[in-house]
């Protein structure tokens, strides 16, 4: 997860105030499209029936999508977060949403950059598990102890659940000045949980204990704007149990989840201003391609990133541009009001469709990847490049996600993309989606063939064990004491926690 995103206030869609058109996108018994009174829709609940989804009109229903709308706060600079109540009695905390990790971890000790933390001594329901856990990100890390406690979400599914919690006791570079969250909510699969996959992730617990469908959906209303101003925080929505039709426009397009660890997808090609980069499709998936709400940028493998920069430079009206802008070390500034978006091209990503012989295209306009950095005291408007080079795979982060409503349909092992109702500036939609297109011109499998990260860890540990045995034998032969150093459970997760922060 890279923590640095952009946001603006959640906007209502182009729907009448009293009536909405409701289209259920879930496979199952129902495919409804009807005019429904909003007051009635507030009472609609969805529950799993084993073979599909069914309606219920119980006001106390487990899932009430409209009541979850707007439950995210935050921005691109400090992350999108949701309010949660942890322990007994409940302690209110803001928790950063991250689909690129799987631990629910919260501050459990004072820290100079946060205003509150979870005091385990004040919770009568907290149970310590006496297990150490440590997570290291590209920038920042934390260490703590595992425990179990009860959690509820004021603007989430009805009910209290018992979940695994990593109580953060020390950290370095994880909590930053100005942030308004005190923990992180990993929404990915058990394979990424630390110290091992036996630690059940938060959403898995929600699905099992509350009986809701194994689906959640996400809208981040940043539209690429920096959160460095002191204005009212923008927002978004985390809908648990399905998708809320008022948050998107048009159809939902689905792509298969290739591997259930991160939300890994298969990218077939990239275009800059409708011009194909003409790279081998395996280059886009080197060594993985994932969708991660905790990553700020659209991150591209080095070869792909260089091709994109070259194509943008060639197609834009700015031929001579500082390399520091593309590398993320410099801002580009114009006089206030002279927005540069008209001189930059749109970017398109083709994803394999659930019909694997087809693909669909998601497109972002320059307003999403040429991002305004707010400074009210300046006579200039300065912008950063919302795309960066990656050493560990392609990451569809907030730069792209802020243009779309993303449905994480875990029940059917697929991700859905639809146009977000808040990805609009004035009368201009900042994102596009189109398809289906034939995938006959690309390989039947664009996966890079590089071993998945857990396998690499196993290989590394095996090699380390062999080396350790040899070393011990040598040391015993030399009659020297053998001492073990380091702490177990520490990992390096370089796909996450931002290198490009706005403080």
């Amino acid at each position: 997860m890279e923590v640095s995103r952009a946001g603006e206030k959640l906007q209502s869609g182009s729907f009448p105030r009293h009536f909405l058109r409701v289209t259920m996108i879930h496979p199952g018994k129902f495919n409804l499209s009807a005019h429904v009174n909003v007051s009635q829709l507030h009472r609609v609940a969805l529950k799993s029936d084993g073979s599909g989804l069914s309606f219920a009109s119980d006001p106390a229903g487990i899932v009430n999508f409209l009541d979850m709308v707007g439950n995210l706060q935050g921005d691109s600079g400090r992350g999108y977060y949701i309010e949660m109540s942890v322990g007994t009695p409940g302690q209110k905390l803001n928790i950063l949403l991250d689909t690129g990790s799987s631990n629910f971890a919260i501050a459990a000790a004072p820290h100079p950059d946060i205003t509150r933390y979870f005091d385990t001594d004040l919770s009568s329901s907290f149970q310590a598990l006496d297990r150490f856990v440590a997570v290291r990100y590209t920038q920042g890390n934390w260490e703590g102890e595992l425990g179990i406690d009860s959690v509820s979400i004021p603007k989430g599914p009805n009910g209290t659940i018992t979940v695994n919690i990593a109580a953060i006791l020390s950290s370095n570079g994880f909590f930053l000045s100005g942030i308004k969250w005190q923990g992180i909510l990993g929404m990915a699969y058990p394979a990424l949980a630390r110290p091992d996959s036996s630690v059940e992730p938060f959403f898995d617990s929600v699905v099992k204990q509350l009986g809701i469908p194994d689906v959640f959906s996400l809208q981040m209303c940043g539209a690429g704007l920096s959160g460095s101003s002191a204005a009212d925080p923008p927002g978004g929505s985390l809908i648990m149990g399905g998708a809320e039709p008022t948050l998107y426009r048009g159809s939902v397009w689905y792509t298969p989840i290739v591997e259930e660890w991160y939300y890994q997808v298969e990218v077939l090609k990239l275009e800059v201003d409708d011009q194909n980069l003409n790279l081998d499709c395996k280059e886009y998936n080197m060594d993985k391609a994932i969708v991660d709400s905790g990553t700020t940028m659209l991150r591209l493998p080095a070869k792909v990133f260089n091709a994109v920069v070259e194509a943008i430079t060639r197609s834009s009206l700015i031929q001579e541009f500082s390399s520091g802008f593309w590398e993320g070390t410099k801002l580009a500034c114009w006089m206030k009001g002279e927005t540069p978006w008209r001189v930059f091209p749109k970017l398109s990503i083709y994803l394999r469709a659930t019909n694997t012989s087809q693909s669909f295209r998601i497109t972002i306009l320059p307003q999403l990847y040429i991002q305004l950095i707010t400074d009210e005291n300046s006579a200039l408007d300065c912008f950063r490049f919302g795309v960066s080079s990656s050493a560990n795979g392609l990451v569809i982060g907030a730069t792209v996600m802020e243009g779309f409503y993303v449905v994480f349909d875990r029940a059917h092992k697929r991700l859905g993309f639809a146009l977000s109702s808040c990805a609009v500036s004035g009368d201009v939609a900042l994102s596009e989606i189109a398809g289906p297109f034939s995938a006959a011109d690309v390989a039947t499998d664009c996966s890079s063939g590089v071993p998945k990260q857990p396998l690499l860890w196993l290989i590394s540990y095996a090699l380390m064990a062999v080396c350790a045995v040899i070393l011990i034998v040598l040391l015993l032969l030399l009659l020297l004491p053998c001492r073990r150093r380091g702490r177990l459970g520490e990992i390096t997760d370089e796909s996450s926690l931002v290198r490009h922060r706005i403080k």
Side-chain angles (χ1 to χ4, degrees):
M1 104 220 200
E2 282 185 19
V3 181
S4 178
R5 273 150 295 207
E8 84 182 356
K9 292 190 73 173
L10 179 67
Q11 302 173 8
S12 60
S14 55
F15 299 91
R17 180 170 181 177
H18 298 294
F19 291 91
L20 306 173
R21 180 168 291 276
V22 179
T23 302
M24 292 305 302
I25 65 168
H26 308 283
K29 301 177 182 177
F30 298 93
N31 182 11
L32 307 179
S33 182
H35 291 290
V36 181
N37 187 286
V38 170
S39 61
Q40 295 173 344
L41 193 60
H42 268 288
R43 294 195 298 269
V44 169
L46 283 172
K47 295 183 180 179
S48 174
D49 65 4
S51 59
L53 298 175
S54 58
F55 275 116
S57 58
D58 177 10
I62 294 173
V63 180
N64 193 330
F65 294 163
L66 286 179
D67 282 351
M68 298 186 208
V69 171
N71 61 3
L72 294 182
Q73 292 181 287
D75 53 51
S76 236
R78 292 173 288 266
Y80 289 92
Y81 54 86
I82 187 168
E83 184 183 70
M84 303 177 74
S85 179
V86 184
T88 307
Q91 300 176 43
K92 294 291 182 65
L93 298 167
N94 293 328
I95 309 298
L96 181 75
L97 182 68
D98 180 28
T99 64
S101 67
S102 299
N103 280 88
F104 176 36
I106 55 178
H111 187 283
D113 290 323
I114 59 176
T115 56
R116 48 192 159 140
Y117 65 93
F118 176 56
D119 191 335
T120 58
D121 291 336
L122 297 181
S123 175
S124 61
S125 52
F126 181 79
Q127 301 176 46
L129 297 179
D130 296 324
R131 296 184 68 190
F132 172 78
V133 59
V135 175
R136 177 172 293 158
Y137 303 95
T138 302
Q139 183 180 34
N141 62 81
W142 54 260
E143 296 182 352
E145 300 288 343
L146 287 177
I148 295 175
D149 210 337
S150 59
V151 172
S152 63
I153 304 174
K155 297 190 70 175
N158 291 337
T160 299
I161 57 172
T162 301
V163 298
N164 289 297
I165 295 174
I168 299 175
L169 301 177
S170 64
S171 63
N172 180 32
F174 181 70
F175 298 112
L176 299 177
S177 177
I179 61 168
K180 295 183 179 179
W181 45 266
Q182 299 86 39
I184 184 169
L185 181 61
M187 297 287 284
Y189 292 99
L192 295 184
R194 298 295 169 258
D196 57 58
S197 60
S198 69
V199 178
E200 185 175 76
F202 178 87
F203 193 67
D204 293 64
S205 299
V206 171
V207 171
K208 288 181 180 179
Q209 295 179 40
L210 297 185
I212 69 172
D214 194 8
V215 183
F216 68 89
S217 51
L218 180 59
Q219 181 190 55
M220 300 188 299
C221 293
L225 300 178
S226 163
S228 57
S229 72
D232 228 3
S237 302
L238 170 63
I239 307 298
M240 285 174 270
E244 169 50 51
T246 62
L247 301 181
Y248 65 88
R249 296 175 286 114
S251 301
V252 179
W253 294 78
Y254 286 98
T255 186
I257 295 174
V258 174
E259 190 78 19
E260 294 173 306
W261 56 325
Y262 296 97
Y263 291 99
Q264 183 179 348
V265 296
E266 188 178 7
V267 175
L268 303 190
K269 64 180 178 180
L270 263 66
E271 290 180 346
V272 175
D273 221 10
D274 298 324
Q275 297 300 306
N276 189 351
L277 293 183
N278 289 316
L279 297 176
D280 184 325
C281 69
K282 290 185 183 296
E283 298 288 349
Y284 302 120
N285 301 278
M286 185 73 67
D287 60 350
K288 59 184 178 292
I290 65 174
V291 178
D292 180 6
S293 68
T295 294
T296 311
M297 307 284 184
L298 166 60
R299 300 186 65 200
L300 303 173
K303 187 173 182 178
V304 180
F305 175 78
N306 292 335
V308 166
V309 170
E310 181 182 347
I312 292 176
T313 303
R314 187 170 58 246
S315 64
S316 72
L317 301 180
I318 302 174
Q319 298 300 318
E320 307 258 337
F321 219 50
S322 168
S323 61
F325 176 72
W326 309 115
E327 295 166 359
T329 60
K330 294 183 180 179
L331 301 177
C333 299
W334 281 260
M335 295 299 296
K336 276 196 177 295
E338 295 182 9
T339 55
W341 296 313
R342 59 184 176 80
V343 303
F344 287 94
K346 58 187 180 181
L347 304 181
S348 298
I349 299 172
Y350 284 75
L351 298 169
R352 194 178 294 278
T354 49
N355 177 344
T356 56
S357 64
Q358 297 178 334
S359 67
F360 64 94
R361 179 181 68 209
I362 57 175
T363 299
I364 57 172
L365 271 62
Q367 286 92 327
L368 288 177
Y369 74 88
I370 304 297
Q371 299 171 346
L372 176 66
I373 304 299
T374 305
D375 185 351
E376 297 177 354
N377 296 324
S378 173
L380 301 174
D381 280 336
C382 294
F383 299 81
R384 70 169 180 179
F385 189 42
V387 185
S388 66
S389 180
S390 168
N392 50 7
L394 185 150
V395 185
I396 297 175
T399 291
V400 177
M401 292 181 71
E402 287 173 345
F404 300 93
Y405 186 70
V406 186
V407 181
F408 295 77
D409 186 355
R410 295 150 49 104
H412 297 90
K413 201 176 177 180
R414 62 183 185 170
L415 292 187
F417 290 82
L419 297 178
S420 172
S421 61
C422 66
V424 178
S425 179
D427 295 327
V428 179
L430 303 181
S431 56
E432 302 169 359
I433 193 165
F437 303 103
S438 171
D441 59 335
V442 297
T444 55
D445 182 8
C446 291
S447 300
S448 67
V450 175
K452 298 294 185 285
Q453 193 169 343
L455 178 58
L456 292 176
W457 288 335
L458 291 176
I459 294 172
S460 299
Y461 292 152
L463 291 174
M464 289 169 61
V466 171
C467 292
V469 170
I470 294 172
L471 180 60
I472 290 172
V473 171
L474 290 174
L475 291 177
L476 287 174
L477 290 174
L478 294 172
L479 300 177
L480 291 176
C482 174
R483 296 184 180 181
R484 295 182 62 188
R485 298 179 181 272
R487 305 184 76 174
L488 297 177
E490 186 170 310
I491 67 159
T492 298
D493 176 6
E494 292 186 349
S495 78
S496 300
L497 205 66
V498 212
R499 294 183 302 178
H500 304 276
R501 299 176 185 270
I502 308 172
K503 295 185 179 179

